[in-house]
Amino acid sequence: MLCCRVLLPAALVLAAGLFCWCSVAALAAADVTERARKFLTDHEAKLRPLEVSAGLAWWNANVTGKDEDFKKKEDAQNKIDEALASSAAFKEVKAIHEERKGISDPILARAIEVLYLTYLEKQVDPALLKKMVAKSNAVEKTFNTFRAKVDGKEMPDSEVRKVLKDSKSSDRRRAVWEASKEVGKAVEADLKELVKLRNEAAKQLGYKNYHEMMLALNEQTTADLFKLFDDLDKLTRQPFQTAKAEIDTKLAADCGVKVDALMPWHYHDPFFQESPAVFGGDLDAPYKTADILKLCREFYSGIGLPIDDVLARSDLYEKPGKSPHAFCTDIDRQGDVRVLGNIVPNEYWMGTMLHELGHSVYSSKNIPQALPYTLRMESHILTTEGVAMMFERFSKQRAWLEKMGVKVDDPKVFDETAAKVQRNQLLIFSRWCQVMLRFEKGMYDNSEQDLSKMWWDLVEKYQLVKRPANRSAPDFASKIHIVVAPVYYHNYMMGQLFASQVHHTIAREVLGGADPDSAIYIGNKKVGEYMKKKVFEPGRTLTWNGLTKFATGEELQAKAFAADFKGK
Ligand SMILES: [Zn+2]
């Protein structure tokens, strides 16, 4: 463990007692330390059983799909929210937080920091909170029931995507794309009101606006984030231009138009947040006969991070009523870690299982029980996503597959396709995140400005996609995440930066200066040792950037991520 407790030698404490002012200071320190310890103990006694039962109910609900399980989950969540909204508890943690410099145990001081933010988030005036929830639900409902209407007929979302993916007709694409954006007009007014309510809530808690508050609650600042994203912009602009030029040529040929004439509806995805499927090769072929579970088991145990106990508790194949997605959950922070999946033998599920099991090793399995329950979890959402993303990338590496004993019949096609898909996905996503981060900041800074114009200015600048001539529709409002997962997207991008930075550190320091492009970890227990000591064991005792520095020697930067695309 890196955070050793600072123990004052008894003699020093006794000596301090000789002087009146020292004794008062020491007493105050003992007092605040004691208060902090009591607060932490009480908090954990109250919250832990609620969180464990919420975790179990969430797991059961997703496995069974039964309403009664979802109801249990909701009840448990309401009790958690109620406990954290307590104004008496907040008053106490706020008072302790103000005196935190006097807390003699650094781990305890860190726990108070984390708890202060946890309670602060829930201190919004209940009447205002109710209005926000109602508004957000109204918008969500509009999204859920909205169907694009083309030629007077409703079109399901899957059909919209199919047209945007397959149609050779630009007119057809345009009609369907425009129809899909109509939802923006339907939610625009509600969204703008929601932004005002959110800003009001943030001001109540002492922040300039909601964007700034959300960052602060996640221990991030606008200045740091924008510096990072400006760097990322500089470092990815050229590789993105190159990748996009290649994609544009294909897209234009597919629709029989000039590259100059490409418009937003040509990019397969309604927001160009994903890579258009324009490169022919098949990444699924080697996985058709592979045993994905066995590959995961052998890979993780080979690097010294065995996951057999996780797999034994997991639910990994499709069945009726079950959630079609994938996630990993640490039920009790005492090693009961589980993965929900729906494995089918293809590349997507290989990557997804490597990802979820990556979360599973970064959990109470490898974070010491000696840490308080409050800190016995990942440092930050971006660090656990980063670890998962780092392992996920191996599903697209032929050298990894072959060394794991899976035969790749057409190596050249696999390599070319995999490299392009990987590069395009990551670059396109990074440019999309630039738009989301900057748009949301602008929207919460000033929701009265011309948001449609700001949206398209950003799309043109960062995604290099042209705005349709004379369009003045609220296209920003057609992105549901702005409503349901506000000020959140950047964490995924930062997770990718963390993945690259940790991977480069492993190549350099654990694998003796190996080339990051070909470092695949297989069978090397030192990789697991490094991950345990430098990434997992600190738990939440370190902030995300503190952990990044501890694990890699530097704060989070864009350069390792950018290096992954150089010359490709
Ligand atoms: Zn994840």
Side-chain angles (χ1 to χ4, degrees), residues 229 232 273 426-440 462-463 488-494:
F229 274 71
L232 180 65
Q273 69 179 78
L426 292 178
L427 282 174
I428 287 167
F429 187 68
S430 93
R431 306 306 290 184
W432 163 244
C433 287
Q434 296 275 1
V435 172
M436 285 294 278
L437 174 70
R438 291 163 200 274
F439 177 78
E440 283 192 287
Y462 292 98
Q463 292 185 288
Y488 192 78
Y489 244 86
H490 61 279
N491 285 313
Y492 284 113
M493 193 58 237
M494 290 163 84

Side-chain angles (χ1 to χ4, degrees), residues 441-460:
K441 181 181 183 300
M443 179 174 73
Y444 288 107
D445 275 348
N446 175 12
S447 63
E448 296 299 321
Q449 66 177 305
D450 185 343
L451 295 174
S452 304
K453 179 181 179 303
M454 177 177 62
W455 174 262
W456 281 108
D457 285 349
L458 290 168
V459 169
E460 288 191 332

Side-chain angles (χ1 to χ4, degrees), residues 326-328 352 355-356 359 381 384-386 388-389 392 492:
F327 64 81
C328 172
T352 300
H355 179 109
E356 300 307 336
H359 284 304
I381 179 81
T384 185
E385 283 307 329
M389 288 159 172
E392 177 187 344
Y492 284 113

Side-chain angles (χ1 to χ4, degrees), residues 101-168:
K101 288 210 170 76
I103 300 174
S104 58
D105 174 349
I107 294 203
L108 189 56
R110 174 67 186 146
I112 289 298
E113 186 77 52
V114 168
L115 288 181
Y116 169 68
L117 293 174
T118 308
Y119 280 83
L120 176 61
E121 187 184 359
K122 304 286 178 182
Q123 299 308 307
V124 178
D125 162 37
L128 181 55
L129 187 65
K130 215 167 153 189
K131 276 196 217 161
M132 282 160 67
V133 171
K135 208 32 92 186
S136 163
N137 285 345
V139 177
E140 240 184 291
K141 207 167 151 207
T142 309
F143 265 103
N144 288 341
T145 50
F146 173 84
R147 297 288 176 274
K149 254 194 203 141
V150 186
D151 303 330
K153 263 196 278 178
E154 285 197 347
M155 192 181 251
D157 199 49
S158 57
E159 186 63 25
V160 168
R161 287 183 175 268
K162 198 166 155 20
V163 172
L164 293 180
K165 197 172 166 226
D166 298 331
S167 176
K168 306 276 178 216

